[in-house]
Amino acid sequence: MQLLFLVAGPLLMTRGSWRTSPLVCLLPSTLTQLTPMSLPTRADALALMHDYTASESLRKHMLAVEAAMRAYADKFGEDPERWGLAGLIHDFDYERYPNAAHSATEEHPTHGVRILRERGWPDDILQAILGHATYSGVPRETQMAKALFAVDELTGLVTATALVRPSKSLHEVDARSVRKKMKDKAFARGVNRDDVVLGAQELGVDLDGHIQFVIDAMRARAADLGLDGTGV
């Protein structure tokens, strides 16, 4: 739609043509969006995640990643709402479009990103989601993207470590116990150990400190994750 906005100055008629007083006139070519798009609400993101994901364990994984992302946003002086949304929604399409072939253009996460883009989600969140899958070929250039990659696999390893405890509680898990399980290749085979190490390196944090930081973030949401020991 072509629009002409006259910010100030009355329109004057001169010999059948319009002109403005010598004040400001914004032509279509100079129009820009003056304010950034508002973020989707957490409630909307959660509803979308639930709509696409029936698996309780996958839902809890995304809640765990959300918790870790919010904690890192606070640590780095970033927006916890924005970072949290990236974590909460990053795998919402995985159950329907798992991408066993690791296609860079089809299924997870590109299919989900197309859906989010159509809904107007911010590009920095979309780029972070694409970047958390190494096979997408999308570089992790922002701190948000690096953090999402760094916590994604690690939250799975922390969860698995808690679940083999008799109490099934995060309060009995620490960095030492996670590192021990990390060395056991038969334990939680689906967790890519190389990605855990690379994620900490890209984020510029010590691995042991990183593991404990994520554990602490998850402990704050232990009840939501079913890892507070009360369900035993």
Side-chain angles (χ1 to χ4, degrees), residues 29 65 165 181-182 194 213:
S29 61
V65 175
R165 296 285 183 179
K181 291 296 186 183
M182 190 173 170
D194 292 338
F213 185 88

Side-chain angles (χ1 to χ4, degrees), residues 4 6 10-21:
L4 179 67
L6 299 175
L11 284 172
L12 303 177
M13 177 70 79
T14 304
R15 295 184 183 275
S17 63
W18 291 99
R19 68 179 179 88
T20 64
S21 62

Side-chain angles (χ1 to χ4, degrees), residues 69-101:
M69 287 294 286
R70 290 182 67 93
Y72 262 125
D74 283 333
K75 177 181 175 67
F76 293 138
E78 299 288 348
D79 181 359
E81 298 299 327
R82 196 176 201 91
W83 284 40
L85 285 172
L88 181 62
I89 206 69
H90 78 285
D91 273 349
F92 86 99
D93 62 332
Y94 183 82
E95 189 173 276
R96 293 192 190 182
Y97 309 97
N99 201 356

Side-chain angles (χ1 to χ4, degrees), residues 175-188:
R176 184 171 175 270
S177 61
V178 172
R179 283 297 295 265
K180 184 177 179 180
K181 291 296 186 183
M182 190 173 170
K183 294 176 182 177
D184 181 359
K185 302 301 183 183
F187 179 78

